Amino acid sequence: MSDTLWLTEEWMAKLASSVEMMTEAPPGLKLGSDQANVSELPDALWYCFPLSLGADVAVFIGAVEDSWLHLGRSALAAARVTEGSPADARSAYLEILTQAASGLAQSIAERLEKPVSGLPAREMKPDETAGVTALEITIGEPPARKLYVSWSRALESALGSSKSKSLTESENTPARSRTLDLLMEVELPVSVSFGRAQLPLRDVLKLNSGSIVELNRTISDPVEIIVNNCVIARGEVVVVEGNYGVRIHQVISREERLRTLK
């Protein structure tokens, strides 16, 4: 399977999952029959989703106003928001894409066998000569709306070069030991830290219901994901199907992990 086809199929799967989660309805999603360059498409709202693989490694998603309004309002309707403005619909639409892009980054990380995270999205159009794949999405009743997806050449190169490297390494690297396979099954405690505070014992003894403890982190600061008493990533708190979760924005380096050992 070519890298482009794999990316397209993975994106469709992650987008379908995100749309279903946000709209509470499984979408109809299929490849469109038309292929074109960006310059040949109608005016559209484009978002760029950079990935942590390097400069210019990104996914681009475009949609005309009717399409992004429909997706955004479908998500708002599922949240019982009946009088949302176009700006509200646009924010909901962007959240759908952000969740799908986060899932795609995870799939790419598994394929490359190294950490990959999605960076904050920005409104940006791909190169005019970039190839575009059209997707047709239906939520509820027809007609289908179109979305356009494009991959940066740097992303395709990253996938291609990593695949060639992995083939070379597999020829020269001995099989993984049985001991390592056993370690992979070891369970580790995972916790999320919103902040910390140091209090004198006399203040701790005064705590009761309704007491407020001020933490050393502001509301806008990312939370820390801690595995076995070591900070391994940072992210933001999200709500998924009524449960709290954390969207990872940064996987920290090995050196910084050692510095954050508790």
Side-chain angles (χ1 to χ4, degrees):
M1 180 185 296
S2 70
D3 295 328
T4 302
L5 180 57
W6 180 84
L7 279 169
T8 302
E9 290 184 351
E10 284 296 314
W11 172 255
M12 291 176 67
K14 303 306 180 185
L15 178 62
S17 176
S18 178
V19 170
E20 182 172 2
M21 183 175 66
M22 292 285 291
T23 66
E24 300 180 352
L29 189 60
K30 66 178 183 179
L31 283 173
S33 57
D34 50 335
Q35 306 286 324
N37 292 331
V38 174
S39 60
E40 301 169 345
L41 298 177
D43 289 337
L45 171 64
W46 284 93
Y47 282 110
C48 169
F49 294 88
L51 300 175
S52 60
L53 286 172
D56 302 324
V57 178
V59 181
F60 296 88
I61 308 298
V64 298
E65 184 176 27
D66 177 66
S67 295
W68 63 258
L69 270 177
H70 178 65
L71 265 70
R73 285 172 173 166
S74 296
L76 292 176
R80 311 297 186 267
V81 178
T82 58
E83 298 182 358
S85 66
D88 295 329
R90 180 166 169 170
S91 295
Y93 166 72
L94 178 57
E95 179 61 23
I96 290 174
L97 297 186
T98 300
Q99 292 190 21
S102 178
L104 180 65
Q106 182 177 355
S107 294
I108 293 174
E110 293 172 357
R111 182 179 173 96
L112 300 183
E113 297 182 345
K114 66 179 183 180
V116 178
S117 59
L119 304 179
R122 60 180 183 271
E123 190 175 336
M124 180 179 177
K125 193 175 184 180
D127 185 86
E128 291 289 334
T129 61
V132 173
T133 299
L135 307 177
E136 295 181 359
I137 185 168
T138 305
I139 302 175
E141 298 296 326
R145 268 72 174 188
K146 283 189 177 181
L147 298 179
Y148 304 103
V149 58
S150 180
W151 323 105
S152 68
R153 293 182 177 87
L155 174 55
E156 295 181 7
S157 298
L159 289 175
S161 60
S162 178
K163 182 167 59 177
S164 299
K165 180 180 179 182
S166 63
L167 288 174
T168 302
E169 290 178 346
S170 64
E171 295 173 354
N172 301 318
T173 304
R176 189 169 63 181
S177 70
R178 176 61 179 165
T179 302
L180 182 58
D181 288 335
L182 292 174
L183 288 175
M184 289 299 181
E185 300 300 324
V186 175
E187 295 185 358
L188 298 174
V190 178
S191 59
V192 176
S193 170
F194 288 82
R196 297 177 179 81
Q198 290 185 341
L199 297 175
L201 180 58
R202 61 176 176 274
D203 291 339
V204 174
L205 295 176
K206 294 177 183 178
L207 294 177
N208 53 40
S209 179
S211 297
I212 296 176
V213 178
E214 184 176 353
L215 303 178
N216 64 344
R217 185 173 287 117
T218 65
I219 294 177
S220 60
D221 288 341
V223 298
E224 294 179 336
I225 301 169
I226 301 172
V227 177
N228 201 29
N229 294 325
C230 177
V231 178
I232 60 99
R234 297 186 178 94
E236 64 173 331
V237 177
V238 296
V239 177
V240 181
E241 297 181 353
N243 297 317
Y244 283 113
V246 177
R247 177 183 292 122
I248 295 176
H249 286 173
Q250 176 193 14
V251 177
I252 67 176
S253 65
R254 181 176 301 178
E255 292 76 12
E256 188 175 355
R257 292 181 198 180
L258 294 175
R259 290 198 300 270
T260 59
L261 280 173
K262 304 296 183 288

